[in-house]
Amino acid sequence: MRSRLVMILAVALAALASAGSAMRLAGSGPSGSPPAHAALPPELAAYLGIFETGAPPGYGPVASFAQMAGRQPNLLGYYSGWVQPFDTSFAEMIHKHGVVPFVQIDPTDASIAAIAAGTYDEYLRSYADSVRNFRHAVVIGFGHEMNASWYSWGYRHVPAATFVAAWRHLVTVFRAQGADNVTWVWTLEGDQPGTGPVASWWPGAQYVTWVGIDGYYYRGSDTFASVFGTTISQVRAFTSKPVLLSETAVGPDAGQFAKIQDLFHGMAAYKTLGLVWFDKTQRGGIYRQDWRIEDGLQAQVSFRLGVRDELTPNGPVS
């Protein structure tokens, strides 16, 4: 009888130990750090973001833009090359100003198939650990504009199914590391001649938080419907995920006063989350114009009006 009681007690203790281990594993990442949870609310017309020369590493260009726009941006976009680490110090600096980092991780020198197969997992785990340890919201995209042909990871270079597998694998690695503070933005190029069918690149709703669409006004004939409307309709045929205008600007050749107004009106009318302005100077033809608002009085006035009239009075990020 005694031996039977001892056996029962041993089994019970083993079960308790196993349960305790499971609870510890569920409550922390592989490194022992607890998971980070931070979600951005999908509020319509609430997000104003920028891509700004000099940020990173500095904040000065953002402050100058905010003064000109009459609104503090709450998203700051930048591009991160493959194997670059997460810039924690920059993220901490902009967080103090109420700004969320929006990182586009681009696999320029990587094999997409190898990413899907786990070849780069050491790098991805390290990146995810840094994001988790930051503990505040981070917006991350991967392989932006994959439905276009101009990047090595995109249309006509990589099968859509391979890209989808890589995207899913990357998200899975981050979640396994406890980086649940990531808002995942699947970023398309606006549909145009020469781009691939957007639905082919869709990873599935469980792997995406927001849909991003990139598009520019190059000419006076461009409208919100032609730049973004068609793609938004295509996306909403297969997902109800919120849409962010993830990279946009209006060039001088398009007529900035009227078209910036059109951009803001369309942003609100199509019920999107907001927009991220590409505030950089480019040169070399109609597709590489001077996109900076600061370089034109009409652009500044129109932008301030758009911010005032179409964005919600106070964005969701403080």
Side-chain angles (χ1 to χ4, degrees), residues 46-282:
Y47 292 91
L48 174 64
I50 57 165
F51 287 93
E52 187 70 65
T53 300
Y59 188 76
V62 183
S64 297
F65 180 91
Q67 184 176 13
M68 181 281 308
R71 172 74 69 90
Q72 168 76 28
N74 47 23
L75 293 175
L76 177 54
Y78 67 94
Y79 299 96
S80 182
W82 195 247
V83 308
Q84 279 186 254
F86 178 65
D87 194 336
T88 301
S89 61
F90 182 69
E92 290 174 344
M93 178 182 67
I94 66 175
H95 175 72
K96 293 176 182 177
H97 295 275
V99 183
V100 175
F102 173 15
V103 190
Q104 289 283 12
I105 301 175
D106 287 341
T108 307
D109 300 315
S111 161
I112 304 304
I115 294 173
T119 303
Y120 301 98
D121 279 6
E122 183 176 354
Y123 162 62
L124 293 177
R125 283 193 293 266
S126 174
Y127 200 110
D129 287 347
S130 296
V131 170
R132 180 197 64 227
N133 293 338
F134 174 56
R135 310 210 70 76
H136 304 292
V138 178
V139 179
I140 294 181
F142 166 73
H144 73 294
E145 300 176 4
M146 80 299 288
N147 61 314
S149 61
W150 43 74
Y151 292 124
S152 60
W153 56 82
Y155 181 51
R156 293 188 175 139
H157 301 284
V158 172
T162 303
F163 180 89
V164 166
W167 177 283
R168 291 176 176 175
H169 183 78
L170 186 145
V171 172
T172 299
V173 169
F174 272 68
R175 289 173 176 168
Q177 297 301 115
D180 294 331
N181 52 330
V182 177
T183 295
W184 292 101
V185 178
W186 179 71
T187 308
L188 294 162
E189 171 67 14
D191 183 67
Q192 58 183 279
T195 56
V198 297
S200 300
W201 304 83
W202 177 239
Q206 64 269 43
Y207 297 97
V208 174
T209 315
W210 297 346
V211 172
I213 302 176
D214 295 352
Y216 287 76
Y217 288 67
Y218 300 110
R219 304 173 178 84
S221 58
D222 289 333
T223 66
F224 192 92
S226 65
V227 176
F228 290 109
T230 299
T231 312
I232 291 173
S233 296
Q234 291 174 353
V235 165
R236 286 180 172 156
F238 59 83
T239 181
S240 60
K241 292 288 183 178
V243 172
L244 176 73
L245 309 182
S246 46
E247 183 185 306
T248 188
V250 176
D253 289 357
Q256 287 181 308
F257 187 88
K259 294 304 180 179
I260 290 174
Q261 290 293 292
D262 183 71
L263 171 62
F264 274 96
H265 294 333
M267 177 274 300
Y270 277 75
K271 301 186 184 304
T272 72
L273 297 169
L275 60 86
V276 183
W277 184 270
F278 189 79
D279 197 51
K280 298 186 179 184
T281 300
Q282 294 182 319

Side-chain angles (χ1 to χ4, degrees), residues 294-314:
E294 297 91 324
D295 291 347
L297 180 59
Q298 287 193 345
Q300 292 181 38
V301 171
S302 186
F303 199 91
R304 288 180 72 94
L305 289 172
V307 167
R308 185 196 69 184
D309 297 339
E310 302 295 353
L311 288 176
T312 55
N314 296 297

